């Protein structure tokens, strides 16, 4: 018996693998670009022509994340109007152009402008990629699919660290930023040719046959008015106000708070871990290597968290992961033996990055399909305020000469994230919680 187009058979990872692979590649370059700054930080501080100080470097890191805030808020709202595919390409082109500007910068101002431009693209890409994966992923493996996609962020971070270690000492930090132009040359042509547009977006534009064709190809439910984003400026405003509808009005600020805490940790640690470890007493090469180790832990953590969240629910996993992050970051206050320090950094990476990603997985389940991209955009966008605070806070603490206080601050932030995300199920009414799958399925 053949399933009807409106009731497609269960889709597997094999069916949607090309979509997830393209998102993986784009986010790989996102992670590479974000971590290039931390990987080259010792060399930037040593280049007297730039005039960098720890405090100024933290401020420039915040310019990057301020650009991400604007990019995420704009992308979350514009993606339903302009489409997922054009915004993915536009985001990649923006952060590639920003990396090129950094590579030719003669001073801190131009360098900061390049990081801000990169931030616009980096902030825009993440919510779009998350929305695409949430739409195309196998229903019972949505959290795992999200985790799989986000392993690419940490693979990109490891690549940035490797490039920084291999290239910067002998050829200078500028060549590391030139590597950040590669996404425009590699990812954009592939996305242009192979990434499908959202069936809901196509349906909302009146391209109904094309929407049905994409849905049938990837075994999605054929879209209708419930899946189609609201049209026009009024529709985009309604998508934002829908985040505060009766079923989600209290969950929304809690998700924002959890995202704030998670992104403060992600970007604070990504920017300042090498220098904090160096201030604690480790060598320069070991301190930079810690950044690669924590990203390796992040890759393992995404796979563990995704599978665990599909079984127990993303809220429980995110809350527990935040608590374990608090323990790990607090332990780094002490100058441990080098081998023990690598182990603690690795397991902290397992918890830290996927705690934030499971906030995104929970967000995908809180909001209905037509508000999902907007909801993800605002959760990531408002969360970017934490990404703005993290690098600045790390720079201020390091300038004060107290690395231990920096690790304590990260631990307290993780506790805040755990508290916020754990309250989300209480803030969503029971019917919405059952329908949208905030808790694991019982059937």
């Amino acid at each position: 018996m053949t399933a009807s187009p409106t009731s497609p058979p269960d889709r597997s990872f094999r069916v949607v693998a090309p979509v997830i692979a393209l998102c993986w590649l784009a986010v790989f370059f996102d992670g590479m670009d974000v971590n290039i700054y931390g990987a080259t930080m010792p060399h930037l501080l040593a280049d007297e022509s730039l005039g960098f100080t720890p405090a100024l470097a933290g401020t420039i890191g915040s310019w990057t994340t301020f650009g991400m805030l604007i990019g995420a808020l704009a992308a979350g709202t514009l993606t339903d109007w302009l489409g997922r595919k054009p915004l993915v390409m536009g985001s990649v082109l923006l952060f590639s152009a920003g990396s090129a500007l950094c590579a030719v910068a003669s001073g801190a101002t131009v360098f900061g402008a390049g990081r801000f431009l990169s931030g616009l693209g980096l902030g825009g890409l993440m919510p779009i990629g998350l929305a695409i994966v949430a739409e195309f992923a196998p229903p019972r493996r949505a959290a795992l699919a999200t985790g799989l996609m986000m392993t690419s962020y940490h693979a990109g971070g490891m690549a940035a660290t490797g490039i920084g270690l291999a290239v910067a000492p002998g050829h200078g930090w500028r060549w590391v930023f030139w590597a950040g132009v590669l996404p425009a040359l590699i990812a954009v042509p592939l996305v242009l040719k192979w990434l499908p547009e959202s069936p809901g977006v196509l349906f909302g534009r009146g391209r109904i046959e094309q929407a049905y064709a994409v849905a049938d190809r990837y075994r999605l439910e054929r879209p209708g008015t419930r899946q189609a984003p609201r049209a026009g400026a009024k529709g985009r405003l309604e998508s934002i106000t829908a985040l505060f509808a009766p079923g989600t009005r209290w969950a929304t600020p809690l998700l924002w708070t959890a995202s704030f805490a998670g992104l403060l940790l992600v970007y604070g640690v990504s920017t300042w871990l090498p220098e904090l470890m160096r201030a604690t007493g480790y060598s320069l090469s070991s301190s930079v290597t810690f950044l690669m180790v924590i990203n390796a832990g992040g890759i393992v953590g995404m796979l563990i968290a995704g599978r665990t969240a599909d079984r127990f629910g993303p809220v429980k996993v995110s809350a527990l992961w935040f608590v374990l992050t608090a323990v790990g970051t607090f332990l780094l206050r002490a100058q441990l033996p080098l081998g023990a320090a690598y182990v603690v950094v690795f397991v902290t990476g397992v918890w830290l990055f996927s705690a934030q990603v499971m906030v995104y997985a929970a967000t995908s389940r809180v909001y209905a399909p037509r508000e999902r991209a907007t909801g993800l955009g605002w959760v990531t966008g408002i969360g970017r305020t934490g990404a703005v605070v993290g690098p600045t806070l790390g720079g201020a603490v390091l300038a004060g000469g107290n690395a231990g206080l920096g690790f304590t601050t990260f631990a307290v932030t993780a506790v805040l994230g755990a508290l916020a995300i754990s309250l989300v199920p209480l803030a969503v009414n029971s019917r919405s919680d059952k329908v949208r799958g905030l808790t694991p399925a019982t059937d």
Side-chain angles (χ1 to χ4, degrees):
M1 182 176 181
T2 303
S4 69
T6 55
S7 296
D10 289 341
R11 57 190 177 275
S12 64
F13 272 111
R14 184 174 61 83
V15 172
V16 298
V19 178
I20 296 177
L22 285 169
C23 291
W24 192 98
L25 179 65
V27 176
F28 169 87
F29 286 123
D30 182 305
M32 190 178 84
D33 195 285
V34 168
N35 285 276
I36 275 176
Y37 190 50
T40 57
M41 183 65 70
H43 303 281
L44 293 168
L45 291 170
D47 188 341
E48 295 182 359
S49 66
L50 283 177
F52 268 40
T53 64
L56 178 58
T59 300
I60 290 177
S62 294
W63 292 356
T64 310
T65 49
F66 183 66
M68 291 179 181
L69 186 156
I70 296 172
L73 292 178
T77 302
L78 294 178
T79 183
D80 291 332
W81 176 38
L82 299 176
R84 312 277 200 262
K85 187 171 179 175
L87 280 180
V88 168
M89 293 188 295
S91 296
V92 173
L93 288 172
L94 273 176
F95 66 71
S96 296
S99 189
L101 187 58
C102 288
V104 300
S106 58
T109 301
V110 175
F111 186 95
R115 292 307 292 165
F116 176 78
L117 183 63
S118 290
L120 291 175
L122 295 167
L125 179 62
M126 191 65 71
I128 302 168
L130 289 165
I132 292 170
V133 169
E135 182 174 10
F136 283 82
R140 294 180 181 275
R141 294 292 181 265
L144 177 58
T146 301
L148 281 171
M149 186 195 80
M150 291 302 296
T151 62
S152 62
Y153 177 91
H154 302 288
M158 292 177 68
T161 306
I163 293 170
L165 287 170
V167 175
H171 303 281
W173 59 265
R174 294 182 188 276
W175 281 104
V176 182
F177 282 92
W178 278 121
V181 180
L182 292 174
L185 304 176
I186 298 173
V188 170
L190 294 174
V191 168
L192 178 63
K193 184 173 179 61
W194 297 110
L195 185 68
E197 185 55 87
S198 161
V201 171
L202 293 170
F203 186 92
R205 293 178 174 180
R207 295 160 64 180
I208 297 173
E209 291 303 319
Q210 189 176 352
Y212 287 169
V214 173
D216 293 348
R217 179 179 179 184
Y218 294 99
R219 301 183 186 178
L220 305 174
E221 180 182 355
R222 283 188 169 186
T225 54
R226 289 185 61 189
Q227 289 78 26
R230 296 173 174 88
K234 181 180 178 181
R236 290 191 291 278
L237 179 60
E238 288 176 352
S239 293
I240 296 172
T241 58
L243 305 182
F244 296 93
T248 57
R249 63 167 56 117
W250 298 113
T252 292
L254 287 170
L255 289 168
W256 289 357
T257 302
S259 184
F260 168 87
L263 287 171
L264 188 154
L265 288 165
V266 168
Y267 288 95
V269 170
S270 294
T271 300
W272 287 111
L273 180 64
E275 287 299 308
L276 285 172
M277 298 304 286
R278 190 178 180 189
T280 305
Y282 298 96
S283 68
L284 173 60
S285 60
S286 295
S287 297
V288 175
T289 305
F290 280 123
L291 193 60
M292 180 177 287
V293 171
I294 201 168
N295 277 290
I299 292 175
V300 175
M302 294 299 170
L303 301 176
I304 296 173
R307 293 183 66 86
T308 307
D310 281 327
R311 181 174 180 183
F312 297 103
V315 168
K316 290 181 180 178
V317 172
S318 181
L320 178 59
W321 264 226
F322 270 124
V323 171
L324 292 170
T325 297
V327 174
T329 52
F330 191 78
L331 286 174
L332 291 175
R333 286 171 47 92
Q335 186 177 0
L336 303 169
L338 184 60
Y342 279 132
V343 171
V344 173
V345 168
F346 178 85
V347 297
T348 300
V350 169
W351 318 127
L352 187 155
F353 298 104
S354 49
Q356 169 64 24
V357 171
M358 290 304 105
V359 173
Y360 296 147
T363 300
S364 296
R365 301 186 185 191
V366 167
Y367 300 116
R370 68 190 307 177
E371 285 93 34
R372 185 175 293 143
T374 300
L376 282 165
W378 279 79
V379 166
T380 56
I382 297 298
R384 295 295 178 186
T385 58
V388 171
V389 171
T392 301
L393 186 62
V397 169
L398 195 61
N402 191 342
L405 178 60
F407 288 121
T408 301
T409 301
F410 290 145
V412 171
T413 302
V415 173
L416 172 65
L419 180 62
I421 193 64
S422 65
L423 292 174
V424 168
L426 299 177
V428 178
N429 65 49
S430 59
R431 183 174 183 274
S432 294
D433 184 57
K434 181 178 179 181
V435 170
R436 293 171 189 155
L438 265 182
T439 55
T442 56
D443 56 348

